[in-house]
Amino acid sequence: MHPLLLTPLYRRYLWGGRRFATSLGRSLPPGEDFAESWELVDRGTDQSIVAAGPLAGVSLGELVRERGHELLGRHAPRAAFPLLFKFLDACRDLSVQVHPDDTRAARLTPPDLGKTEAWYVIDAAAGSRIYAGLCDGVDQRALAAALRAGRCGEVLHSFEPRAGDCVFIPAGTVHAIGAGLVVAEIQESSDVTYRLFDWNRTGADGKPRPLHTEAGLEAVTQCGPVAPVASEAIVEDGTATRQLVTCDSFVFDEIRLGRDWTVGGDDACHFLAILSGEVHLDARWQLPPLTPGACVLLPAAIGRQVVRAAEAAATPPTLLHVQLP
Ligand SMILES: [Zn+2]
């Protein structure tokens, strides 16, 4: 096993843009725009593929199912990698959605995971908004009435986020990412989304896109307003760690690197996404420097790793760190 660089899976939807290049330093494939870039996925035919090194060409799913103990350590065995990490470039408001929790999703045909997710704002154009939860005092009944009247926007809680904000969206919370945001998202690897409201717009064919009002309302279990995570960074040996989310599905941290930072050695895998600056892993892996937009999965079997800031770094590199709980 070695640190795994995975090939991004780009997704083109109506609402995408070109900011994976401008905000994240990616060299994008030709094409007009890209809405999502899936960095870590093991879901049926959607597979992250190892991009380089001795395991190049192998899918994440193969590693989970055939070399689970080396990859996942104490979290093995698993039928599939339980998390999905992606970047999103929202040039238009996304539809208002809700996902079921694990219990509700397990009752579906076929059964699925619920979807608890968290967002980290990478870039926020002036005036862009996040919609998360409902305004104070709005319950399921008031939400249903607003949906019937086409006025869902009036009961959604929203705020203007800043780069560096993290928003935790437990399953059952109504939410939408607004136009102007570039976001990193960690979520349970689930496919169940109920669209509650599409801002009274029409789709590419000129018709309104289907809504899933009944199933969606049934899935709403969290009504109150959701604010950005308020955690403070803890500085140790020059590296500032901000614990963003610890939940049943994932642990999500922001790391501002000092000179170096040690990760792993706990019989578990670790996923890193570099947002700014330049970092190096141990020279024996023969990896290129990891620059903004780079993501790497560190298998459990490779043990403790030192992540080192490049010498010339003017500002401390910023990383997102994901692990299984
Ligand atoms: Zn969602």
PDB file of all heavy atoms in Angstrom, residues 109-147:
ATOM      1  N   THR A 109     -36.458   0.574  -1.177  1.00  0.00           N
ATOM      2  CA  THR A 109     -36.102  -0.515  -2.094  1.00  0.00           C
ATOM      3  C   THR A 109     -35.338   0.102  -3.263  1.00  0.00           C
ATOM      4  O   THR A 109     -35.939   0.878  -3.998  1.00  0.00           O
ATOM      5  CB  THR A 109     -37.382  -1.194  -2.657  1.00  0.00           C
ATOM      6  OG1 THR A 109     -38.384  -1.186  -1.643  1.00  0.00           O
ATOM      7  CG2 THR A 109     -37.091  -2.567  -3.145  1.00  0.00           C
ATOM      8  N   PRO A 110     -34.052  -0.233  -3.495  1.00  0.00           N
ATOM      9  CA  PRO A 110     -33.215  -1.013  -2.584  1.00  0.00           C
ATOM     10  C   PRO A 110     -32.828  -0.178  -1.372  1.00  0.00           C
ATOM     11  O   PRO A 110     -32.840   1.045  -1.440  1.00  0.00           O
ATOM     12  CB  PRO A 110     -31.978  -1.293  -3.446  1.00  0.00           C
ATOM     13  CG  PRO A 110     -31.894  -0.126  -4.380  1.00  0.00           C
ATOM     14  CD  PRO A 110     -33.310   0.278  -4.668  1.00  0.00           C
ATOM     15  N   PRO A 111     -32.470  -0.841  -0.267  1.00  0.00           N
ATOM     16  CA  PRO A 111     -32.057  -0.100   0.925  1.00  0.00           C
ATOM     17  C   PRO A 111     -30.799   0.718   0.645  1.00  0.00           C
ATOM     18  O   PRO A 111     -29.975   0.324  -0.170  1.00  0.00           O
ATOM     19  CB  PRO A 111     -31.741  -1.202   1.948  1.00  0.00           C
ATOM     20  CG  PRO A 111     -32.170  -2.488   1.343  1.00  0.00           C
ATOM     21  CD  PRO A 111     -32.349  -2.294  -0.127  1.00  0.00           C
ATOM     22  N   ASP A 112     -30.676   1.855   1.302  1.00  0.00           N
ATOM     23  CA  ASP A 112     -29.515   2.728   1.082  1.00  0.00           C
ATOM     24  C   ASP A 112     -29.082   3.271   2.441  1.00  0.00           C
ATOM     25  O   ASP A 112     -29.732   2.991   3.461  1.00  0.00           O
ATOM     26  CB  ASP A 112     -29.906   3.880   0.128  1.00  0.00           C
ATOM     27  CG  ASP A 112     -28.714   4.442  -0.637  1.00  0.00           C
ATOM     28  OD1 ASP A 112     -27.594   4.427  -0.085  1.00  0.00           O
ATOM     29  OD2 ASP A 112     -28.899   4.917  -1.771  1.00  0.00           O
ATOM     30  N   LEU A 113     -28.007   4.039   2.427  1.00  0.00           N
ATOM     31  CA  LEU A 113     -27.645   4.801   3.619  1.00  0.00           C
ATOM     32  C   LEU A 113     -28.460   6.085   3.614  1.00  0.00           C
ATOM     33  O   LEU A 113     -28.903   6.539   2.560  1.00  0.00           O
ATOM     34  CB  LEU A 113     -26.155   5.170   3.583  1.00  0.00           C
ATOM     35  CG  LEU A 113     -25.128   4.071   3.831  1.00  0.00           C
ATOM     36  CD1 LEU A 113     -23.717   4.616   3.617  1.00  0.00           C
ATOM     37  CD2 LEU A 113     -25.276   3.542   5.261  1.00  0.00           C
ATOM     38  N   GLY A 114     -28.647   6.673   4.764  1.00  0.00           N
ATOM     39  CA  GLY A 114     -29.155   8.033   4.822  1.00  0.00           C
ATOM     40  C   GLY A 114     -28.052   8.969   4.378  1.00  0.00           C
ATOM     41  O   GLY A 114     -26.965   8.534   3.996  1.00  0.00           O
ATOM     42  N   LYS A 115     -28.339  10.266   4.383  1.00  0.00           N
ATOM     43  CA  LYS A 115     -27.264  11.175   3.989  1.00  0.00           C
ATOM     44  C   LYS A 115     -27.151  12.334   4.957  1.00  0.00           C
ATOM     45  O   LYS A 115     -27.902  13.306   4.889  1.00  0.00           O
ATOM     46  CB  LYS A 115     -27.462  11.687   2.561  1.00  0.00           C
ATOM     47  CG  LYS A 115     -26.145  12.257   1.998  1.00  0.00           C
ATOM     48  CD  LYS A 115     -26.357  13.193   0.826  1.00  0.00           C
ATOM     49  CE  LYS A 115     -26.491  12.478  -0.488  1.00  0.00           C
ATOM     50  NZ  LYS A 115     -26.477  13.426  -1.632  1.00  0.00           N
ATOM     51  N   THR A 116     -26.201  12.191   5.853  1.00  0.00           N
ATOM     52  CA  THR A 116     -25.749  13.323   6.653  1.00  0.00           C
ATOM     53  C   THR A 116     -24.573  13.912   5.899  1.00  0.00           C
ATOM     54  O   THR A 116     -23.737  13.167   5.368  1.00  0.00           O
ATOM     55  CB  THR A 116     -25.359  12.843   8.063  1.00  0.00           C
ATOM     56  OG1 THR A 116     -26.564  12.617   8.805  1.00  0.00           O
ATOM     57  CG2 THR A 116     -24.507  13.863   8.799  1.00  0.00           C
ATOM     58  N   GLU A 117     -24.495  15.231   5.792  1.00  0.00           N
ATOM     59  CA  GLU A 117     -23.418  15.851   5.028  1.00  0.00           C
ATOM     60  C   GLU A 117     -22.906  17.088   5.752  1.00  0.00           C
ATOM     61  O   GLU A 117     -23.547  17.602   6.668  1.00  0.00           O
ATOM     62  CB  GLU A 117     -23.891  16.210   3.611  1.00  0.00           C
ATOM     63  CG  GLU A 117     -25.051  17.181   3.562  1.00  0.00           C
ATOM     64  CD  GLU A 117     -25.670  17.286   2.155  1.00  0.00           C
ATOM     65  OE1 GLU A 117     -26.187  16.271   1.653  1.00  0.00           O
ATOM     66  OE2 GLU A 117     -25.651  18.378   1.581  1.00  0.00           O
ATOM     67  N   ALA A 118     -21.713  17.530   5.338  1.00  0.00           N
ATOM     68  CA  ALA A 118     -21.157  18.784   5.855  1.00  0.00           C
ATOM     69  C   ALA A 118     -20.463  19.494   4.710  1.00  0.00           C
ATOM     70  O   ALA A 118     -19.894  18.857   3.824  1.00  0.00           O
ATOM     71  CB  ALA A 118     -20.180  18.515   6.991  1.00  0.00           C
ATOM     72  N   TRP A 119     -20.557  20.824   4.719  1.00  0.00           N
ATOM     73  CA  TRP A 119     -19.948  21.648   3.668  1.00  0.00           C
ATOM     74  C   TRP A 119     -18.862  22.520   4.276  1.00  0.00           C
ATOM     75  O   TRP A 119     -19.004  23.029   5.387  1.00  0.00           O
ATOM     76  CB  TRP A 119     -20.989  22.586   3.035  1.00  0.00           C
ATOM     77  CG  TRP A 119     -22.221  21.935   2.542  1.00  0.00           C
ATOM     78  CD1 TRP A 119     -22.351  20.675   2.021  1.00  0.00           C
ATOM     79  CD2 TRP A 119     -23.547  22.508   2.521  1.00  0.00           C
ATOM     80  NE1 TRP A 119     -23.656  20.441   1.678  1.00  0.00           N
ATOM     81  CE2 TRP A 119     -24.408  21.549   1.972  1.00  0.00           C
ATOM     82  CE3 TRP A 119     -24.065  23.737   2.908  1.00  0.00           C
ATOM     83  CZ2 TRP A 119     -25.782  21.781   1.800  1.00  0.00           C
ATOM     84  CZ3 TRP A 119     -25.418  23.975   2.742  1.00  0.00           C
ATOM     85  CH2 TRP A 119     -26.261  23.009   2.187  1.00  0.00           C
ATOM     86  N   TYR A 120     -17.815  22.722   3.505  1.00  0.00           N
ATOM     87  CA  TYR A 120     -16.771  23.679   3.872  1.00  0.00           C
ATOM     88  C   TYR A 120     -16.709  24.674   2.718  1.00  0.00           C
ATOM     89  O   TYR A 120     -16.503  24.288   1.565  1.00  0.00           O
ATOM     90  CB  TYR A 120     -15.436  22.954   4.049  1.00  0.00           C
ATOM     91  CG  TYR A 120     -14.304  23.872   4.450  1.00  0.00           C
ATOM     92  CD1 TYR A 120     -13.957  24.043   5.785  1.00  0.00           C
ATOM     93  CD2 TYR A 120     -13.579  24.566   3.480  1.00  0.00           C
ATOM     94  CE1 TYR A 120     -12.918  24.887   6.148  1.00  0.00           C
ATOM     95  CE2 TYR A 120     -12.540  25.409   3.840  1.00  0.00           C
ATOM     96  CZ  TYR A 120     -12.219  25.562   5.170  1.00  0.00           C
ATOM     97  OH  TYR A 120     -11.184  26.401   5.524  1.00  0.00           O
ATOM     98  N   VAL A 121     -16.905  25.941   3.024  1.00  0.00           N
ATOM     99  CA  VAL A 121     -16.960  26.966   1.969  1.00  0.00           C
ATOM    100  C   VAL A 121     -15.537  27.338   1.555  1.00  0.00           C
ATOM    101  O   VAL A 121     -14.747  27.818   2.376  1.00  0.00           O
ATOM    102  CB  VAL A 121     -17.734  28.207   2.452  1.00  0.00           C
ATOM    103  CG1 VAL A 121     -17.716  29.304   1.391  1.00  0.00           C
ATOM    104  CG2 VAL A 121     -19.167  27.828   2.807  1.00  0.00           C
ATOM    105  N   ILE A 122     -15.217  27.113   0.284  1.00  0.00           N
ATOM    106  CA  ILE A 122     -13.886  27.419  -0.245  1.00  0.00           C
ATOM    107  C   ILE A 122     -13.872  28.832  -0.823  1.00  0.00           C
ATOM    108  O   ILE A 122     -12.918  29.577  -0.667  1.00  0.00           O
ATOM    109  CB  ILE A 122     -13.501  26.381  -1.320  1.00  0.00           C
ATOM    110  CG1 ILE A 122     -13.336  25.002  -0.660  1.00  0.00           C
ATOM    111  CG2 ILE A 122     -12.231  26.786  -2.066  1.00  0.00           C
ATOM    112  CD1 ILE A 122     -13.177  23.866  -1.650  1.00  0.00           C
ATOM    113  N   ASP A 123     -14.938  29.190  -1.477  1.00  0.00           N
ATOM    114  CA  ASP A 123     -15.010  30.494  -2.126  1.00  0.00           C
ATOM    115  C   ASP A 123     -16.468  30.951  -2.087  1.00  0.00           C
ATOM    116  O   ASP A 123     -17.364  30.141  -2.353  1.00  0.00           O
ATOM    117  CB  ASP A 123     -14.532  30.350  -3.582  1.00  0.00           C
ATOM    118  CG  ASP A 123     -14.010  31.658  -4.147  1.00  0.00           C
ATOM    119  OD1 ASP A 123     -14.159  32.706  -3.476  1.00  0.00           O
ATOM    120  OD2 ASP A 123     -13.471  31.632  -5.266  1.00  0.00           O
ATOM    121  N   ALA A 124     -16.680  32.214  -1.754  1.00  0.00           N
ATOM    122  CA  ALA A 124     -18.044  32.732  -1.675  1.00  0.00           C
ATOM    123  C   ALA A 124     -18.099  34.076  -2.388  1.00  0.00           C
ATOM    124  O   ALA A 124     -17.491  35.042  -1.937  1.00  0.00           O
ATOM    125  CB  ALA A 124     -18.469  32.888  -0.221  1.00  0.00           C
ATOM    126  N   ALA A 125     -18.816  34.133  -3.500  1.00  0.00           N
ATOM    127  CA  ALA A 125     -19.021  35.410  -4.186  1.00  0.00           C
ATOM    128  C   ALA A 125     -19.893  36.300  -3.300  1.00  0.00           C
ATOM    129  O   ALA A 125     -20.708  35.795  -2.523  1.00  0.00           O
ATOM    130  CB  ALA A 125     -19.698  35.171  -5.533  1.00  0.00           C
ATOM    131  N   ALA A 126     -19.699  37.616  -3.411  1.00  0.00           N
ATOM    132  CA  ALA A 126     -20.470  38.554  -2.587  1.00  0.00           C
ATOM    133  C   ALA A 126     -21.959  38.293  -2.771  1.00  0.00           C
ATOM    134  O   ALA A 126     -22.435  38.124  -3.889  1.00  0.00           O
ATOM    135  CB  ALA A 126     -20.129  39.992  -2.984  1.00  0.00           C
ATOM    136  N   GLY A 127     -22.672  38.232  -1.662  1.00  0.00           N
ATOM    137  CA  GLY A 127     -24.127  38.088  -1.708  1.00  0.00           C
ATOM    138  C   GLY A 127     -24.607  36.649  -1.830  1.00  0.00           C
ATOM    139  O   GLY A 127     -25.815  36.404  -1.808  1.00  0.00           O
ATOM    140  N   SER A 128     -23.697  35.686  -1.958  1.00  0.00           N
ATOM    141  CA  SER A 128     -24.162  34.293  -2.097  1.00  0.00           C
ATOM    142  C   SER A 128     -24.689  33.796  -0.754  1.00  0.00           C
ATOM    143  O   SER A 128     -24.260  34.253   0.308  1.00  0.00           O
ATOM    144  CB  SER A 128     -23.042  33.396  -2.626  1.00  0.00           C
ATOM    145  OG  SER A 128     -21.879  33.564  -1.872  1.00  0.00           O
ATOM    146  N   ARG A 129     -25.608  32.852  -0.795  1.00  0.00           N
ATOM    147  CA  ARG A 129     -26.278  32.400   0.427  1.00  0.00           C
ATOM    148  C   ARG A 129     -26.269  30.893   0.563  1.00  0.00           C
ATOM    149  O   ARG A 129     -26.251  30.163  -0.433  1.00  0.00           O
ATOM    150  CB  ARG A 129     -27.740  32.887   0.453  1.00  0.00           C
ATOM    151  CG  ARG A 129     -27.894  34.386   0.404  1.00  0.00           C
ATOM    152  CD  ARG A 129     -29.306  34.831   0.751  1.00  0.00           C
ATOM    153  NE  ARG A 129     -29.545  34.880   2.185  1.00  0.00           N
ATOM    154  CZ  ARG A 129     -29.115  35.849   2.994  1.00  0.00           C
ATOM    155  NH1 ARG A 129     -28.429  36.863   2.523  1.00  0.00           N
ATOM    156  NH2 ARG A 129     -29.396  35.818   4.281  1.00  0.00           N
ATOM    157  N   ILE A 130     -26.284  30.474   1.823  1.00  0.00           N
ATOM    158  CA  ILE A 130     -26.523  29.070   2.160  1.00  0.00           C
ATOM    159  C   ILE A 130     -27.889  28.991   2.822  1.00  0.00           C
ATOM    160  O   ILE A 130     -28.231  29.844   3.651  1.00  0.00           O
ATOM    161  CB  ILE A 130     -25.397  28.537   3.077  1.00  0.00           C
ATOM    162  CG1 ILE A 130     -24.232  28.049   2.203  1.00  0.00           C
ATOM    163  CG2 ILE A 130     -25.904  27.423   3.997  1.00  0.00           C
ATOM    164  CD1 ILE A 130     -23.048  27.521   2.974  1.00  0.00           C
ATOM    165  N   TYR A 131     -28.662  27.991   2.420  1.00  0.00           N
ATOM    166  CA  TYR A 131     -29.989  27.751   2.983  1.00  0.00           C
ATOM    167  C   TYR A 131     -29.893  26.486   3.827  1.00  0.00           C
ATOM    168  O   TYR A 131     -29.556  25.421   3.301  1.00  0.00           O
ATOM    169  CB  TYR A 131     -31.018  27.580   1.868  1.00  0.00           C
ATOM    170  CG  TYR A 131     -31.048  28.773   0.926  1.00  0.00           C
ATOM    171  CD1 TYR A 131     -30.157  28.859  -0.147  1.00  0.00           C
ATOM    172  CD2 TYR A 131     -31.927  29.832   1.150  1.00  0.00           C
ATOM    173  CE1 TYR A 131     -30.146  29.967  -0.982  1.00  0.00           C
ATOM    174  CE2 TYR A 131     -31.924  30.943   0.318  1.00  0.00           C
ATOM    175  CZ  TYR A 131     -31.031  31.008  -0.744  1.00  0.00           C
ATOM    176  OH  TYR A 131     -31.025  32.114  -1.568  1.00  0.00           O
ATOM    177  N   ALA A 132     -30.146  26.600   5.108  1.00  0.00           N
ATOM    178  CA  ALA A 132     -29.938  25.455   5.991  1.00  0.00           C
ATOM    179  C   ALA A 132     -30.935  25.504   7.142  1.00  0.00           C
ATOM    180  O   ALA A 132     -30.883  26.403   7.982  1.00  0.00           O
ATOM    181  CB  ALA A 132     -28.507  25.449   6.532  1.00  0.00           C
ATOM    182  N   GLY A 133     -31.858  24.550   7.149  1.00  0.00           N
ATOM    183  CA  GLY A 133     -32.880  24.524   8.181  1.00  0.00           C
ATOM    184  C   GLY A 133     -33.999  25.510   7.869  1.00  0.00           C
ATOM    185  O   GLY A 133     -34.015  26.152   6.803  1.00  0.00           O
ATOM    186  N   LEU A 134     -34.927  25.607   8.812  1.00  0.00           N
ATOM    187  CA  LEU A 134     -36.108  26.461   8.627  1.00  0.00           C
ATOM    188  C   LEU A 134     -36.043  27.624   9.607  1.00  0.00           C
ATOM    189  O   LEU A 134     -35.372  27.543  10.644  1.00  0.00           O
ATOM    190  CB  LEU A 134     -37.375  25.638   8.865  1.00  0.00           C
ATOM    191  CG  LEU A 134     -37.494  24.373   7.996  1.00  0.00           C
ATOM    192  CD1 LEU A 134     -38.721  23.553   8.408  1.00  0.00           C
ATOM    193  CD2 LEU A 134     -37.572  24.745   6.519  1.00  0.00           C
ATOM    194  N   CYS A 135     -36.740  28.701   9.261  1.00  0.00           N
ATOM    195  CA  CYS A 135     -36.778  29.860  10.162  1.00  0.00           C
ATOM    196  C   CYS A 135     -37.374  29.436  11.504  1.00  0.00           C
ATOM    197  O   CYS A 135     -38.181  28.499  11.574  1.00  0.00           O
ATOM    198  CB  CYS A 135     -37.639  30.973   9.564  1.00  0.00           C
ATOM    199  SG  CYS A 135     -36.991  31.622   8.020  1.00  0.00           S
ATOM    200  N   ASP A 136     -36.981  30.158  12.551  1.00  0.00           N
ATOM    201  CA  ASP A 136     -37.504  29.876  13.888  1.00  0.00           C
ATOM    202  C   ASP A 136     -39.022  29.763  13.868  1.00  0.00           C
ATOM    203  O   ASP A 136     -39.700  30.612  13.281  1.00  0.00           O
ATOM    204  CB  ASP A 136     -37.102  31.020  14.848  1.00  0.00           C
ATOM    205  CG  ASP A 136     -35.830  30.668  15.593  1.00  0.00           C
ATOM    206  OD1 ASP A 136     -35.670  29.484  15.930  1.00  0.00           O
ATOM    207  OD2 ASP A 136     -35.009  31.574  15.811  1.00  0.00           O
ATOM    208  N   GLY A 137     -39.556  28.737  14.480  1.00  0.00           N
ATOM    209  CA  GLY A 137     -41.005  28.593  14.612  1.00  0.00           C
ATOM    210  C   GLY A 137     -41.673  27.910  13.428  1.00  0.00           C
ATOM    211  O   GLY A 137     -42.877  27.642  13.478  1.00  0.00           O
ATOM    212  N   VAL A 138     -40.944  27.614  12.372  1.00  0.00           N
ATOM    213  CA  VAL A 138     -41.556  26.936  11.211  1.00  0.00           C
ATOM    214  C   VAL A 138     -41.456  25.429  11.434  1.00  0.00           C
ATOM    215  O   VAL A 138     -40.358  24.903  11.628  1.00  0.00           O
ATOM    216  CB  VAL A 138     -40.850  27.325   9.894  1.00  0.00           C
ATOM    217  CG1 VAL A 138     -41.419  26.542   8.720  1.00  0.00           C
ATOM    218  CG2 VAL A 138     -40.954  28.828   9.659  1.00  0.00           C
ATOM    219  N   ASP A 139     -42.603  24.740  11.438  1.00  0.00           N
ATOM    220  CA  ASP A 139     -42.584  23.288  11.612  1.00  0.00           C
ATOM    221  C   ASP A 139     -42.932  22.611  10.278  1.00  0.00           C
ATOM    222  O   ASP A 139     -43.107  23.279   9.260  1.00  0.00           O
ATOM    223  CB  ASP A 139     -43.541  22.864  12.728  1.00  0.00           C
ATOM    224  CG  ASP A 139     -44.975  23.296  12.454  1.00  0.00           C
ATOM    225  OD1 ASP A 139     -45.262  23.754  11.307  1.00  0.00           O
ATOM    226  OD2 ASP A 139     -45.818  23.193  13.353  1.00  0.00           O
ATOM    227  N   GLN A 140     -43.065  21.272  10.304  1.00  0.00           N
ATOM    228  CA  GLN A 140     -43.352  20.540   9.065  1.00  0.00           C
ATOM    229  C   GLN A 140     -44.641  21.030   8.403  1.00  0.00           C
ATOM    230  O   GLN A 140     -44.704  21.122   7.182  1.00  0.00           O
ATOM    231  CB  GLN A 140     -43.465  19.032   9.333  1.00  0.00           C
ATOM    232  CG  GLN A 140     -42.117  18.326   9.466  1.00  0.00           C
ATOM    233  CD  GLN A 140     -41.701  18.180  10.922  1.00  0.00           C
ATOM    234  OE1 GLN A 140     -42.123  18.972  11.783  1.00  0.00           O
ATOM    235  NE2 GLN A 140     -40.855  17.195  11.205  1.00  0.00           N
ATOM    236  N   ARG A 141     -45.648  21.333   9.234  1.00  0.00           N
ATOM    237  CA  ARG A 141     -46.938  21.760   8.661  1.00  0.00           C
ATOM    238  C   ARG A 141     -46.802  23.097   7.943  1.00  0.00           C
ATOM    239  O   ARG A 141     -47.335  23.295   6.855  1.00  0.00           O
ATOM    240  CB  ARG A 141     -47.997  21.892   9.771  1.00  0.00           C
ATOM    241  CG  ARG A 141     -48.772  20.596   9.980  1.00  0.00           C
ATOM    242  CD  ARG A 141     -49.907  20.793  10.960  1.00  0.00           C
ATOM    243  NE  ARG A 141     -50.828  21.852  10.571  1.00  0.00           N
ATOM    244  CZ  ARG A 141     -51.773  22.337  11.379  1.00  0.00           C
ATOM    245  NH1 ARG A 141     -51.897  21.875  12.599  1.00  0.00           N
ATOM    246  NH2 ARG A 141     -52.582  23.286  10.943  1.00  0.00           N
ATOM    247  N   ALA A 142     -46.083  24.020   8.565  1.00  0.00           N
ATOM    248  CA  ALA A 142     -45.886  25.337   7.939  1.00  0.00           C
ATOM    249  C   ALA A 142     -45.038  25.202   6.678  1.00  0.00           C
ATOM    250  O   ALA A 142     -45.262  25.902   5.684  1.00  0.00           O
ATOM    251  CB  ALA A 142     -45.224  26.283   8.934  1.00  0.00           C
ATOM    252  N   LEU A 143     -44.071  24.282   6.714  1.00  0.00           N
ATOM    253  CA  LEU A 143     -43.261  24.032   5.521  1.00  0.00           C
ATOM    254  C   LEU A 143     -44.137  23.476   4.398  1.00  0.00           C
ATOM    255  O   LEU A 143     -44.036  23.914   3.246  1.00  0.00           O
ATOM    256  CB  LEU A 143     -42.129  23.049   5.856  1.00  0.00           C
ATOM    257  CG  LEU A 143     -41.300  22.543   4.669  1.00  0.00           C
ATOM    258  CD1 LEU A 143     -40.554  23.695   3.987  1.00  0.00           C
ATOM    259  CD2 LEU A 143     -40.307  21.468   5.124  1.00  0.00           C
ATOM    260  N   ALA A 144     -45.006  22.514   4.738  1.00  0.00           N
ATOM    261  CA  ALA A 144     -45.896  21.926   3.726  1.00  0.00           C
ATOM    262  C   ALA A 144     -46.775  23.009   3.099  1.00  0.00           C
ATOM    263  O   ALA A 144     -46.960  23.040   1.870  1.00  0.00           O
ATOM    264  CB  ALA A 144     -46.752  20.829   4.364  1.00  0.00           C
ATOM    265  N   ALA A 145     -47.298  23.918   3.916  1.00  0.00           N
ATOM    266  CA  ALA A 145     -48.155  24.993   3.401  1.00  0.00           C
ATOM    267  C   ALA A 145     -47.354  25.911   2.480  1.00  0.00           C
ATOM    268  O   ALA A 145     -47.835  26.316   1.412  1.00  0.00           O
ATOM    269  CB  ALA A 145     -48.758  25.781   4.562  1.00  0.00           C
ATOM    270  N   ALA A 146     -46.122  26.223   2.871  1.00  0.00           N
ATOM    271  CA  ALA A 146     -45.280  27.099   2.040  1.00  0.00           C
ATOM    272  C   ALA A 146     -44.959  26.426   0.713  1.00  0.00           C
ATOM    273  O   ALA A 146     -44.936  27.078  -0.337  1.00  0.00           O
ATOM    274  CB  ALA A 146     -43.991  27.446   2.799  1.00  0.00           C
ATOM    275  N   LEU A 147     -44.721  25.118   0.744  1.00  0.00           N
ATOM    276  CA  LEU A 147     -44.428  24.387  -0.495  1.00  0.00           C
ATOM    277  C   LEU A 147     -45.637  24.419  -1.429  1.00  0.00           C
ATOM    278  O   LEU A 147     -45.499  24.656  -2.630  1.00  0.00           O
ATOM    279  CB  LEU A 147     -44.043  22.936  -0.181  1.00  0.00           C
ATOM    280  CG  LEU A 147     -42.663  22.740   0.455  1.00  0.00           C
ATOM    281  CD1 LEU A 147     -42.486  21.293   0.918  1.00  0.00           C
ATOM    282  CD2 LEU A 147     -41.556  23.114  -0.525  1.00  0.00           C
TER     283      LEU A 147
END
